[in-house]
Amino acid sequence: SDLCAQGKVRGQRVFIRADLNVPQDDAGRITEDTRVRASIPCIQMALDAGAAVMVTSHLGRPTEGEFKPEDSLAPVAQRMAELLGREVPLRARWVDGVEVQPGQVMLLENCRLNKGEKKNSPELAQKMAALCDVFVHDAFGTAHRAEASTYGIAQYAKVACAGPLLAAEIDAISKALAAPRRPLAAIVAGSKVSTKLTILKSLADKVDQLIVGGGIANTFMLAAGLPIGKSLAEADLVGEARAVIQAMKARGAEVPIPTDVVVAKQFAADAPATVKAAAEVAPDDLILDIGPQTAQRLAQQLMAAGTIVWNGPVGVFEFDAFAKGTETIAHAIARSPAFSIAGGGDTLAAIAKYGIEKDVGYISTGGGAFLEVLEGKQLPAFEILEKRARG
Ligand code: 3PG
């Protein structure tokens, strides 16, 4: 933004790496567009400053060099055009050169289709760097990945800097945890402990309540000696879950294990839902949500919290019969006087479903990147920008 304010990008070719990796339904319609909306201020700023603007992003995890229609950023180009109120042409093959005029914006097709993107090939990164005068990294959600369009290009571009979204996200998340108002409650939910073990361990040293949900809660229930029937869980991580519970206890903090749950016999939207005490889950039951008593108890804790960190819905909220737990938690976060900070794709979808956008203190566009900043890790794609700024 400083470069724009100083008039330094007028007539310059500006290459913006955004994170436009948005969820879509089977018909290719965007179901949640926070990331597209969050990319607009940087693009608009560069356009207003008279730059020739190129924007790219990855979408999903395609096979390099193999284009499939579902890998295309076409729906994103359309949404971006609506938000910017101008045409946004989509350019398919772009690595070897693109024509963009000052005052125009062009979206460059899914960068993960380029061979060498994921591996951060220097050859590809150099070609991308040659497309522009200024590289702007504004893809907070992908800043934990060192790929050609997030890391390599920042090494080789004439000028490389952070965009407003990247800077604001890192600032907001690190500040929220630096000196939080207590009690500090974190909700970490999702299907697997293995994908969130580092964050669970790191939060176990910091938070007053570590609320677990989804498949993660099932593994914690096993660790607490409760039956989980045929629910999703990782038996090999029960020891790790037990260690987290013990570490929290030793600090006088708590991992509230569900005392009641909503179960079904199949994973289906129309499967009959039954509320059961946690100790009474049958061998053929699937736990698909926390029960009403657990949800109420957690809601009370959230109402009394000073700071809340939220990552992950506590049940299968896409199915109405198993959405009550997540809905209760979402409304408690919205009503709580605590400063709340939320991130992750499913969390954003839950926030949108319950219409609580305005009641959450800070909504991050990051999933993995959000968790890494919470853990206190440095994001490689941000580090390289800092290194370049130091010269
Ligand atoms: C995300 O959705 O978390 C980011 O866009 C990163 O996607 P990735 O995990 O495929 O790198």
Side-chain angles (χ1 to χ4, degrees), residues 98-185:
V98 269
E99 278 289 315
V100 199
Q101 299 309 315
Q104 285 184 348
V105 55
M106 182 178 276
L107 187 61
L108 311 178
E109 189 56 285
N110 193 341
C111 56
R112 280 197 185 154
L113 290 167
N114 297 320
K115 285 208 174 109
E117 167 66 17
K118 290 281 296 173
K119 287 201 313 278
N120 185 18
S121 126
E123 201 192 352
L124 177 63
Q126 277 159 10
K127 280 188 173 183
M128 287 185 194
L131 296 175
C132 63
D133 302 301
V134 179
F135 166 64
V136 183
H137 188 123
D138 207 29
F140 172 71
T142 330
H144 59 316
R145 307 275 185 229
E147 300 178 358
S149 69
T150 61
Y151 193 94
I153 184 173
Q155 285 175 292
Y156 303 117
K158 278 183 245 165
V159 176
C161 58
L165 179 66
L166 178 64
E169 290 259 20
I170 293 183
D171 198 49
I173 306 169
S174 5
K175 272 196 193 137
L177 279 199
R181 196 145 49 86
R182 292 197 178 257
L184 166 59

Side-chain angles (χ1 to χ4, degrees), residues 189-219:
S191 50
K192 288 182 173 175
V193 169
S194 51
T195 57
K196 295 198 180 163
L197 189 59
T198 354
I199 184 77
L200 286 165
K201 283 182 174 170
S202 137
L203 290 175
D205 291 337
K206 301 185 182 90
V207 304
D208 301 300
Q209 284 115 20
L210 182 53
I211 298 170
V212 286
I216 294 180
N218 299 341
T219 303

Side-chain angles (χ1 to χ4, degrees), residues 19 21 35 58 60-61 112 141-142 144-145 367-368:
D19 186 333
N21 185 26
R35 285 179 166 174
H58 70 288
R61 295 176 176 170
R112 280 197 185 154
T142 330
H144 59 316
R145 307 275 185 229

Side-chain angles (χ1 to χ4, degrees), residues 14-352:
V14 172
F15 184 111
I16 300 173
R17 173 57 158 102
D19 186 333
L20 306 168
N21 185 26
V22 286
Q24 293 176 53
D25 63 15
D26 293 342
R29 279 182 301 251
I30 296 173
T31 50
E32 207 286 309
D33 70 351
T34 305
R35 285 179 166 174
V36 189
R37 283 186 282 112
S39 74
I40 300 298
C42 181
I43 299 169
Q44 190 67 61
M45 203 182 287
L47 284 170
D48 292 347
V53 184
M54 294 160 271
V55 186
T56 195
S57 170
H58 70 288
L59 181 71
R61 295 176 176 170
T63 315
E64 286 184 1
E66 269 178 43
F67 179 81
K68 288 192 229 67
E70 64 269 28
D71 298 330
S72 175
L73 285 173
V76 173
Q78 199 185 334
R79 183 75 191 108
M80 194 178 270
E82 286 161 13
L83 291 165
L84 284 169
R86 60 161 73 218
E87 270 184 44
V88 178
L90 177 65
R91 172 74 187 250
R93 264 174 286 281
W94 49 270
V95 175
D96 292 312
V98 269
E99 278 289 315
V100 199
Q101 299 309 315
Q104 285 184 348
V105 55
M106 182 178 276
L107 187 61
L108 311 178
E109 189 56 285
N110 193 341
C111 56
R112 280 197 185 154
L113 290 167
N114 297 320
K115 285 208 174 109
E117 167 66 17
K118 290 281 296 173
K119 287 201 313 278
N120 185 18
S121 126
E123 201 192 352
L124 177 63
Q126 277 159 10
K127 280 188 173 183
M128 287 185 194
L131 296 175
C132 63
D133 302 301
V134 179
F135 166 64
V136 183
H137 188 123
D138 207 29
F140 172 71
T142 330
H144 59 316
R145 307 275 185 229
E147 300 178 358
S149 69
T150 61
Y151 193 94
I153 184 173
Q155 285 175 292
Y156 303 117
K158 278 183 245 165
V159 176
C161 58
L165 179 66
L166 178 64
E169 290 259 20
I170 293 183
D171 198 49
I173 306 169
S174 5
K175 272 196 193 137
L177 279 199
R181 196 145 49 86
R182 292 197 178 257
L184 166 59
I187 303 154
V188 180
S191 50
K192 288 182 173 175
V193 169
S194 51
T195 57
K196 295 198 180 163
L197 189 59
T198 354
I199 184 77
L200 286 165
K201 283 182 174 170
S202 137
L203 290 175
D205 291 337
K206 301 185 182 90
V207 304
D208 301 300
Q209 284 115 20
L210 182 53
I211 298 170
V212 286
I216 294 180
N218 299 341
T219 303
F220 275 80
M221 286 174 72
L222 278 182
L226 289 163
I228 61 160
K230 53 177 187 171
S231 312
L232 180 72
E234 289 165 298
D236 53 330
L237 292 176
V238 166
E240 296 276 10
R242 206 170 282 135
V244 168
I245 297 175
Q246 276 156 7
M248 293 282 291
K249 223 174 178 176
R251 290 175 44 237
E254 186 203 3
V255 181
I257 306 291
T259 49
D260 62 341
V261 288
V262 185
V263 300
K265 300 296 179 196
Q266 298 99 33
F267 184 86
D270 58 356
T274 314
V275 174
K276 283 194 175 173
E280 274 151 31
V281 171
D284 62 343
D285 278 339
L286 267 177
I287 303 172
L288 298 181
D289 194 10
I290 54 173
Q293 193 188 75
T294 303
Q296 275 318 320
R297 183 166 49 96
L298 297 178
Q300 276 162 17
Q301 291 189 332
L302 294 171
M303 291 301 290
T307 309
I308 301 170
V309 175
W310 183 20
N311 175 256
V314 293
V316 186
F317 78 105
E318 301 87 335
F319 299 162
D320 287 345
F322 310 103
K324 274 271 168 296
T326 302
E327 185 175 5
T328 306
I329 296 288
H331 287 308
I333 293 172
R335 283 201 312 271
S336 172
F339 177 72
S340 51
I341 174 156
D346 292 337
T347 313
L348 261 53
I351 288 173

